[in-house]
Amino acid sequence: MAKRRPSGDGMVRKRDDGRWEGRIVVGHKENGDSIFRYIYADNQKELTAKLRQNIDAYQGIDLTEQSRMTLGEWLDTWLEQMAVTLRPGTLEHYRRDMENHVKPRLGAKPLTQLTAADLRKLYDALKRNGRMKPRSSQSSGLSSTTVHGIHTTLHHALKAARDQGLIPINPADEVEPPKVIHQPMKILTEEQLNIFLTAIKADEFWYDFFYTELTTGLRRGEICGLMWIDFDERGGALKVCRTLHRETGGRLVAGDTKTYAGTRKIVLPPSTVELLRERKRKSFSPWIFHDPLRPEAPMNPDSAYRQLKKFLLEAGLPDIRFHDLRHTFSTYALSSGVDAKTLAGILGHTKASFTLDTYTHTTGDMQRRAADIVGGFLTAYLGEEMKPWQNAESGETAASA
């Protein structure tokens, strides 16, 4: 039996056509035979340089026969591996992005030959012409946010390939993804909120739904997935333990919440407790908010979205997303003095720091309010002696302007 050659071992020869060929051992088959990587150059000096780069890149790497698979084959394998840890909705989102945008362009590429340049070309192509069926008002390219998400998924998949010894390096490490352009957060002002509540007042079903949303900040799938067994009437609380999502094929199913922190119990305002108590008294469905036409089924999140858009249009209000109702609740909660840790628990955020980062505009307002309180306290404490100092300061500011 031939001696097992170590990874990194190589050889060089001059071909009959005058070119130079080198090969290095990059792994081994199950029977112990070597797996080679071949490198070509026009002269010996150029080949030597290329060999040195490859030997360094494959140092400590021992690839297997699986390394011969294409990127498309690996993505299928990786998604199967991730099925036990990812939520079904997240898994379907990853699968859809890979099937629609990555595999048609790079799926046939051998996994070990994938380069950072390939990924950069992919992202540029998706930003120019990546949308599957653009509407007349839409650009043909995907947004930077969507392309950034595709990069994140690919990065995870290729990291797993690297960790499992299928590739020597993760080419996504060398690629700067498109920068995410964050849209300004939209919330309803106090006046707009009053207009909205007045607009839905006549529709008891939707008034209950949206009033509950505005006083809890639940995600769309969470509020649609609420059941009466989740309502603690005596304690005035709701247990959030499921969310609705669509499986492949469009079927609506109830699954786990977005994160482990998403499973939570939240205390309700008295007005919301009373609203749900009265609603429960009249209900004949297991769902708190059921499908209007099928009481045995939960509210379809898409129906809730469309109904919101309808109310906003009829009331002449800004066109906001359903998620902006969650932002509206959170902003008013923080502005009213609810601390970030408590709010993070209500929203189902894993960390209070994420809540603060998301609502920095609110904390800025709170800081200004705190400054006003401190200023008022100092004036009350020092009396009129404070005013000449204030006037002098404002005069100096005006003079320097």
Side-chain angles (χ1 to χ4, degrees):
M1 179 176 177
K3 183 179 179 181
R4 182 184 174 100
R5 302 181 65 179
S7 293
D9 192 16
M11 60 165 288
V12 174
R13 74 180 183 94
K14 189 174 183 179
R15 292 159 41 117
D16 293 339
D17 62 4
R19 298 188 72 207
W20 285 80
E21 174 188 284
R23 71 178 187 180
I24 61 171
V25 178
V26 296
H28 298 87
K29 301 177 182 179
E30 289 186 6
N31 63 4
D33 289 348
S34 298
I35 297 175
F36 295 101
R37 177 172 176 80
Y38 293 86
I39 303 101
Y40 303 93
D42 293 331
N43 56 66
Q44 187 175 9
K45 182 178 180 180
E46 181 184 350
L47 180 66
T48 301
K50 286 185 176 181
L51 270 177
R52 174 52 55 194
Q53 290 178 347
N54 277 270
I55 289 173
D56 290 343
Y58 284 88
Q59 189 70 37
I61 302 297
D62 192 22
L63 303 184
T64 68
E65 289 179 273
Q66 285 186 302
S67 299
R68 298 180 182 276
M69 70 174 67
T70 64
L71 174 62
E73 290 170 338
W74 167 245
L75 289 174
D76 290 340
T77 300
W78 176 70
L79 287 170
E80 288 179 10
Q81 294 174 357
M82 297 300 292
V84 296
T85 58
L86 290 177
R87 292 174 60 246
T90 303
L91 183 66
E92 178 59 26
H93 176 72
Y94 287 176
R95 194 185 306 279
R96 188 167 56 248
D97 276 350
M98 298 302 101
E99 289 290 341
N100 293 342
H101 304 304
V102 177
K103 291 171 72 173
R105 292 173 169 85
L106 288 176
K109 185 96 174 182
L111 187 59
T112 55
Q113 295 181 23
L114 187 69
T115 65
D118 293 327
L119 298 181
R120 292 189 190 98
K121 289 179 182 177
L122 169 68
Y123 301 156
D124 288 342
L126 293 177
K127 288 180 68 177
R128 287 195 313 270
N129 193 31
R131 198 178 293 276
M132 300 288 290
K133 296 179 181 178
R135 295 189 292 270
S136 57
S137 60
Q138 286 182 318
S139 160
S140 60
L142 296 176
S143 69
S144 296
T145 301
T146 300
V147 177
H148 191 284
I150 291 171
H151 166 80
T152 300
T153 304
L154 265 177
H155 191 281
H156 287 322
L158 294 172
K159 180 181 183 299
R162 169 66 180 85
D163 292 344
Q164 295 177 35
L166 304 183
I167 53 177
I169 62 170
N170 181 352
D173 284 339
E174 305 172 17
V175 180
E176 186 71 26
K179 293 189 180 298
V180 175
I181 302 174
H182 293 286
Q183 296 295 327
M185 187 180 297
K186 296 180 181 179
I187 65 168
L188 294 174
T189 65
E190 189 172 345
E191 180 183 1
Q192 291 169 341
L193 201 52
N194 288 332
I195 293 173
F196 179 74
L197 290 172
T198 300
I200 64 177
K201 194 82 172 182
D203 191 322
E204 182 179 351
F205 180 91
W206 287 110
Y207 179 83
D208 290 356
F209 180 87
F210 285 112
Y211 188 89
T212 302
E213 171 60 30
L214 286 166
T215 54
T216 59
L218 294 174
R219 299 178 178 93
R220 183 159 45 123
E222 291 174 342
I223 188 170
C224 292
L226 289 174
M227 304 183 76
W228 286 119
I229 56 174
D230 305 323
F231 177 44
D232 179 2
E233 187 174 353
R234 184 184 296 272
L238 269 179
K239 185 178 180 182
V240 184
C241 54
R242 75 186 66 80
T243 187
L244 298 185
H245 64 268
R246 290 197 177 279
E247 288 186 333
T248 304
R251 190 167 70 95
L252 194 64
V253 297
D256 295 335
T257 54
K258 186 175 181 180
T259 64
Y260 74 85
T263 300
R264 60 206 187 271
K265 185 175 182 179
I266 58 176
V267 177
L268 300 171
S271 58
T272 309
V273 174
E274 184 57 35
L275 179 148
L276 293 180
R277 182 181 291 124
E278 181 63 19
R279 181 174 182 81
K280 182 179 181 182
R281 189 177 64 82
K282 302 175 184 177
S283 179
F284 45 89
S285 169
W287 304 92
I288 294 182
F289 300 107
H290 58 78
D291 186 308
L293 301 179
R294 295 185 301 140
E296 74 282 0
M299 168 63 63
N300 188 324
D302 294 337
S303 298
Y305 178 85
R306 288 191 294 269
Q307 194 64 40
L308 170 64
K309 295 294 185 178
K310 178 175 179 290
F311 282 131
L312 292 172
L313 182 63
E314 291 175 350
L317 291 171
D319 184 25
I320 63 173
R321 305 168 304 161
F322 192 96
H323 204 72
D324 291 322
L325 298 181
R326 178 173 166 88
H327 291 325
T328 297
F329 162 78
S330 304
T331 300
Y332 281 105
L334 278 175
S335 298
S336 300
V338 177
D339 66 274
K341 186 172 180 60
T342 299
L343 181 59
I346 295 172
L347 296 175
H349 289 166
T350 306
K351 296 181 179 178
S353 58
F354 176 79
T355 308
L356 284 173
D357 288 343
T358 304
Y359 299 103
T360 50
H361 68 289
T362 305
T363 54
D365 291 342
M366 292 166 65
Q367 290 169 3
R368 283 189 289 274
R369 183 178 299 179
D372 290 341
I373 293 172
V374 172
F377 166 75
L378 288 175
T379 302
Y381 184 73
L382 297 175
E384 295 301 317
E385 294 179 9
M386 186 82 170
K387 290 188 176 179
W389 173 78
Q390 290 174 320
N391 293 336
E393 184 186 56
S394 60
E396 289 175 7
T397 303
S400 61

